[in-house]
């Protein structure tokens, strides 16, 4: 049996064991809540994002691309519209997913310039781009849902899918949709259909 003589080392060891135990308990509770939430909401089968590119331009700092990004709920209604420019030539969108059997739920995580990720020097720094999560997850509710039950259930699934621990344990996944092929002035949609994310013109 391992003996730890130093009081400080004993404290650190005890703290580490406590943190690990607490993390396992919290994530187990989150996992169980997702299993109970799944029967209350159908798997994703709808358009998640609507995108239209205005074009790109050159500045003294490099290239920028302008676009309008709309986040849609499950009934196709617009939750929020984000209109801005990103410092890059091309954009990509990251999604997190919660997958339970045949049920797959997608949650848009971030819109960003592809070069900004490739050239990021510090992997532990804040990811570049626009964080989409605060636009549809708030106050214990996910605005993708159209009823209170759906909103609460999707909130649990969304929080679970966005948790790095869930990804580390292989219980959630990350997907990237490349938007470099989108033409300016054309509306595109990112659809979650039959368990697959797809990009296509509306």
């Amino acid at each position: 049996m391992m003996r730890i003589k130093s009081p400080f080392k004993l404290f650190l060891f005890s703290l580490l064991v406590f943190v690990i135990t607490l993390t396992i308990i919290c994530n187990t509770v989150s996992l169980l809540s997702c299993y109970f939430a799944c029967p209350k909401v159908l798997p994703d089968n709808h358009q998640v994002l609507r995108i239209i590119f205005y074009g790109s331009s050159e500045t003294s700092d490099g290239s920028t691309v302008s676009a309008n990004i709309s986040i849609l709920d499950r009934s196709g209604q617009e939750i929020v519209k984000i209109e801005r420019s990103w410092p890059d030539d091309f954009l990509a969108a990251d999604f997190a997913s919660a997958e339970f059997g045949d049920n797959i739920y997608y949650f848009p995580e971030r819109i960003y310039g592809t070069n900004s990720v490739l050239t990021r020097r510090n992997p532990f720094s804040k990811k570049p781009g626009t964080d989409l999560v605060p636009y549809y997850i708030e106050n214990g509710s996910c605005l993708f849902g159209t009823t209170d039950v759906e909103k609460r259930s999707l909130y649990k699934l969304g929080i679970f899918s966005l948790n790095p621990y869930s990804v580390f344990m292989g219980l959630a996944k990350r997907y990237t949709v490349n938007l470099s092929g989108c033409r300016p002035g054309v509306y595109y949609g990112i659809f979650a259909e039959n368990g697959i994310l797809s990009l296509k013109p509306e």
Side-chain angles (χ1 to χ4, degrees), residues 4-18:
I4 303 176
K5 296 181 179 180
S6 169
F8 180 69
K9 289 182 179 179
L10 178 60
F11 169 77
L12 288 180
F13 179 77
S14 301
L15 181 62
L16 179 61
V17 171
F18 173 76

Side-chain angles (χ1 to χ4, degrees), residues 75-135:
S75 67
Q77 297 298 309
E78 188 178 86
I79 296 173
V80 67
K81 183 182 293 184
I82 305 166
E83 190 173 56
R84 56 161 292 184
S85 296
W86 288 264
D88 214 329
D89 294 312
F90 306 108
L91 296 181
D94 280 351
F95 286 75
S97 73
E99 305 183 12
F100 296 89
D102 295 330
N103 299 330
I104 303 179
Y105 308 90
Y106 290 101
F107 300 89
E109 192 172 11
R110 184 171 299 274
I111 293 282
Y112 57 92
T114 52
N115 289 339
S116 61
V117 171
L118 294 175
T119 58
R120 187 162 58 116
R121 295 180 180 179
N122 183 2
F124 298 102
S125 63
K126 183 179 179 181
K127 290 183 179 179
T130 302
D131 186 4
L132 300 178
V133 178
Y135 290 105

